[in-house]
Amino acid sequence: AQTVTQSQPEMSVQEAETVTLSCTYDTSESDYYLFWYKQPPSRQMILVIRQEAYKQQNATENRFSVNFQKAAKSFSLKISDSQLGDAAMYFCAYRTPGGAQKLVFGQGTRLTINP
Amino acid sequence: DARVTQTPRHKVTEMGQEVTMRCQPILGHNTVFWYRQTMMQGLELLAYFRNRAPLDDSGMPKDRFSAEMPDATLATLKIQPSEPRDSAVYFCASGLGATRSPLHFGNGTRLTVT
């Protein structure tokens, strides 16, 4: 079964600094998709960024970028120029190809932004 | 912006009562998921539908939980009878039937069973 591990339950960063959130996953598939979701206190799950496993180029969305290492099964999220509004729980997720196509989530990392 | 709509947003009920949570997926989405979020277990998949047909409900306690899609615009999750351990936030998510498509989540229903 696929598993997703986020080894950092909590992280903090100074406003305007850069922070990296870690994620590793376990799969025997070669084609799959990875996502980062943000959950602010409002509890809405918001898609931050996604990565297709067959693409070597790391995905980027404005201040958010990923470091995708397929061989190492690692998918970290980098937030540049951190802002107070980035404070939230961040979930890494793997989506199974074919079949149920369900999203498997990590346990989450709570990110605090210090002003 | 198209959104997944969940009702109610909050529900407090007594143990043994029936609870029904509703979800309106985004128009045109053919996959619907129910997730449960707790501090201890994180986000757990309860059930999954594609084109209104249940494909995977292995994560759902069958004796008390049931999930249905009476039509393409409505998904329901019922708990009967409810127990205090069912207290959690229940999320509905919808998406297109393609792996690259992200899931869009509703705001969740916070259920408290006393």
Side-chain angles (χ1 to χ4, degrees), chain B residues 4-5 23 26 28 31 37-38 41-42 46 50 63-65 67 71 81-83 91 101 109-110:
Chain B
V4 175
T5 303
C23 168
I26 292 174
T31 61
Q37 184 178 31
T38 61
Q41 300 298 326
L46 296 176
R50 182 189 291 166
D63 56 337
R64 300 183 300 108
F65 284 61
D71 61 62
S82 57
E83 297 181 0
F91 284 101
S101 299
T109 294
R110 179 177 294 279

Short mmCIF file of all heavy atoms in Angstrom, two decimals, chain B residues 4-5 23 26 28 31 37-38 41-42 46 50 63-65 67 71 81-83 91 101 109-110:
data_model
loop_
_atom_site.label_atom_id
_atom_site.label_comp_id
_atom_site.label_asym_id
_atom_site.label_seq_id
_atom_site.Cartn_x
_atom_site.Cartn_y
_atom_site.Cartn_z
N VAL B 4 -17.24 22.99 -3.93
CA VAL B 4 -17.93 21.86 -3.32
C VAL B 4 -18.65 22.39 -2.08
O VAL B 4 -18.04 23.06 -1.25
CB VAL B 4 -16.94 20.75 -2.93
CG1 VAL B 4 -17.65 19.63 -2.20
CG2 VAL B 4 -16.20 20.23 -4.16
N THR B 5 -19.93 22.11 -1.99
CA THR B 5 -20.73 22.62 -0.89
C THR B 5 -21.10 21.50 0.07
O THR B 5 -21.64 20.48 -0.36
CB THR B 5 -22.02 23.27 -1.43
OG1 THR B 5 -21.67 24.31 -2.35
CG2 THR B 5 -22.82 23.89 -0.28
N CYS B 23 -23.37 16.68 0.55
CA CYS B 23 -22.32 17.27 -0.27
C CYS B 23 -22.84 17.50 -1.68
O CYS B 23 -23.43 16.59 -2.28
CB CYS B 23 -21.11 16.33 -0.30
SG CYS B 23 -19.85 16.76 -1.53
N ILE B 26 -18.83 19.72 -7.43
CA ILE B 26 -18.75 20.69 -8.51
C ILE B 26 -19.39 20.10 -9.77
O ILE B 26 -19.14 18.94 -10.11
CB ILE B 26 -17.28 21.09 -8.77
CG1 ILE B 26 -16.75 21.89 -7.57
CG2 ILE B 26 -17.15 21.91 -10.05
CD1 ILE B 26 -15.28 22.22 -7.64
N GLY B 28 -20.15 18.76 -13.16
CA GLY B 28 -19.26 18.19 -14.17
C GLY B 28 -18.21 17.23 -13.60
O GLY B 28 -17.61 16.46 -14.34
N THR B 31 -16.15 12.26 -9.90
CA THR B 31 -15.66 11.48 -8.77
C THR B 31 -15.92 12.25 -7.47
O THR B 31 -15.77 13.47 -7.42
CB THR B 31 -14.15 11.20 -8.89
OG1 THR B 31 -13.43 12.44 -8.91
CG2 THR B 31 -13.84 10.42 -10.15
N GLN B 37 -11.29 13.59 9.14
CA GLN B 37 -10.06 14.13 9.70
C GLN B 37 -10.15 14.18 11.21
O GLN B 37 -11.06 14.78 11.78
CB GLN B 37 -9.77 15.54 9.15
CG GLN B 37 -8.44 16.12 9.63
CD GLN B 37 -8.16 17.49 9.06
OE1 GLN B 37 -9.06 18.29 8.79
NE2 GLN B 37 -6.88 17.78 8.83
N THR B 38 -9.19 13.55 11.88
CA THR B 38 -9.05 13.61 13.32
C THR B 38 -7.60 13.91 13.66
O THR B 38 -6.71 13.72 12.83
CB THR B 38 -9.45 12.28 14.00
OG1 THR B 38 -8.57 11.24 13.50
CG2 THR B 38 -10.87 11.89 13.70
N GLN B 41 -5.70 10.34 13.71
CA GLN B 41 -5.59 9.54 12.48
C GLN B 41 -5.32 10.37 11.24
O GLN B 41 -5.06 9.80 10.17
CB GLN B 41 -6.86 8.71 12.28
CG GLN B 41 -7.16 7.75 13.41
CD GLN B 41 -6.08 6.70 13.58
OE1 GLN B 41 -5.46 6.27 12.60
NE2 GLN B 41 -5.82 6.30 14.80
N GLY B 42 -5.41 11.67 11.36
CA GLY B 42 -5.20 12.50 10.18
C GLY B 42 -6.37 12.38 9.21
O GLY B 42 -7.51 12.22 9.63
N LEU B 46 -12.91 7.46 3.53
CA LEU B 46 -14.02 6.62 3.95
C LEU B 46 -14.69 5.92 2.76
O LEU B 46 -14.98 4.73 2.81
CB LEU B 46 -15.07 7.46 4.69
CG LEU B 46 -14.65 8.10 6.00
CD1 LEU B 46 -15.77 8.98 6.55
CD2 LEU B 46 -14.24 7.04 7.00
N ARG B 50 -17.44 6.97 -8.37
CA ARG B 50 -17.17 7.44 -9.72
C ARG B 50 -18.44 7.25 -10.52
O ARG B 50 -19.00 6.15 -10.55
CB ARG B 50 -16.02 6.68 -10.38
CG ARG B 50 -15.71 7.19 -11.79
CD ARG B 50 -14.73 6.30 -12.49
NE ARG B 50 -13.41 6.38 -11.87
CZ ARG B 50 -12.44 5.52 -12.10
NH1 ARG B 50 -12.62 4.50 -12.92
NH2 ARG B 50 -11.27 5.65 -11.53
N ASP B 63 -21.02 -1.19 9.71
CA ASP B 63 -22.18 -1.45 10.56
C ASP B 63 -22.95 -0.18 10.87
O ASP B 63 -24.14 -0.23 11.15
CB ASP B 63 -21.74 -2.14 11.86
CG ASP B 63 -20.69 -1.33 12.63
OD1 ASP B 63 -19.99 -0.52 11.98
OD2 ASP B 63 -20.55 -1.54 13.85
N ARG B 64 -22.30 0.97 10.80
CA ARG B 64 -22.99 2.20 11.18
C ARG B 64 -22.93 3.30 10.14
O ARG B 64 -23.70 4.23 10.18
CB ARG B 64 -22.42 2.71 12.50
CG ARG B 64 -22.56 1.74 13.66
CD ARG B 64 -22.04 2.35 14.96
NE ARG B 64 -20.63 2.70 14.87
CZ ARG B 64 -20.17 3.94 14.80
NH1 ARG B 64 -21.02 4.95 14.80
NH2 ARG B 64 -18.88 4.17 14.75
N PHE B 65 -22.02 3.20 9.20
CA PHE B 65 -21.84 4.24 8.19
C PHE B 65 -22.41 3.77 6.85
O PHE B 65 -22.29 2.60 6.49
CB PHE B 65 -20.35 4.54 7.98
CG PHE B 65 -19.71 5.36 9.06
CD1 PHE B 65 -19.67 4.91 10.37
CD2 PHE B 65 -19.14 6.58 8.76
CE1 PHE B 65 -19.07 5.67 11.36
CE2 PHE B 65 -18.53 7.35 9.75
CZ PHE B 65 -18.49 6.89 11.05
N ALA B 67 -22.82 5.47 2.67
CA ALA B 67 -22.62 6.59 1.74
C ALA B 67 -23.37 6.29 0.46
O ALA B 67 -23.36 5.16 -0.03
CB ALA B 67 -21.13 6.78 1.45
N ASP B 71 -28.15 11.25 -6.79
CA ASP B 71 -28.02 11.81 -8.12
C ASP B 71 -26.66 12.50 -8.24
O ASP B 71 -25.91 12.56 -7.26
CB ASP B 71 -29.18 12.76 -8.47
CG ASP B 71 -29.26 13.95 -7.55
OD1 ASP B 71 -28.29 14.73 -7.51
OD2 ASP B 71 -30.29 14.09 -6.86
N PRO B 81 -26.21 4.05 14.46
CA PRO B 81 -26.26 5.15 15.42
C PRO B 81 -24.89 5.79 15.60
O PRO B 81 -23.86 5.14 15.43
CB PRO B 81 -26.67 4.41 16.71
CG PRO B 81 -26.03 3.05 16.56
CD PRO B 81 -26.09 2.73 15.09
N SER B 82 -24.88 7.08 15.92
CA SER B 82 -23.62 7.77 16.10
C SER B 82 -23.02 7.45 17.48
O SER B 82 -23.74 7.11 18.43
CB SER B 82 -23.82 9.28 15.95
OG SER B 82 -24.79 9.75 16.87
N GLU B 83 -21.69 7.55 17.55
CA GLU B 83 -20.96 7.29 18.78
C GLU B 83 -19.96 8.43 19.00
O GLU B 83 -19.55 9.08 18.04
CB GLU B 83 -20.22 5.96 18.69
CG GLU B 83 -21.13 4.75 18.54
CD GLU B 83 -20.36 3.45 18.48
OE1 GLU B 83 -19.11 3.47 18.55
OE2 GLU B 83 -21.01 2.38 18.36
N PHE B 91 -14.92 15.59 5.40
CA PHE B 91 -14.75 16.36 4.16
C PHE B 91 -15.30 15.58 2.98
O PHE B 91 -15.12 14.37 2.87
CB PHE B 91 -13.27 16.63 3.89
CG PHE B 91 -12.67 17.71 4.73
CD1 PHE B 91 -11.90 17.39 5.83
CD2 PHE B 91 -12.87 19.05 4.42
CE1 PHE B 91 -11.34 18.38 6.61
CE2 PHE B 91 -12.31 20.05 5.21
CZ PHE B 91 -11.55 19.71 6.31
N SER B 101 -5.78 15.36 -12.19
CA SER B 101 -6.69 16.39 -11.71
C SER B 101 -6.72 16.41 -10.19
O SER B 101 -6.87 15.38 -9.55
CB SER B 101 -8.10 16.13 -12.23
OG SER B 101 -8.14 16.16 -13.63
N THR B 109 -17.71 19.22 7.49
CA THR B 109 -18.72 19.23 8.55
C THR B 109 -18.02 18.80 9.84
O THR B 109 -17.46 17.70 9.90
CB THR B 109 -19.87 18.25 8.25
OG1 THR B 109 -20.58 18.69 7.10
CG2 THR B 109 -20.82 18.14 9.45
N ARG B 110 -18.07 19.69 10.83
CA ARG B 110 -17.49 19.31 12.13
C ARG B 110 -18.57 18.63 12.94
O ARG B 110 -19.56 19.26 13.33
CB ARG B 110 -16.95 20.52 12.88
CG ARG B 110 -16.36 20.15 14.26
CD ARG B 110 -15.77 21.33 14.99
NE ARG B 110 -14.60 21.86 14.32
CZ ARG B 110 -13.39 21.36 14.40
NH1 ARG B 110 -13.17 20.27 15.14
NH2 ARG B 110 -12.37 21.93 13.77
#
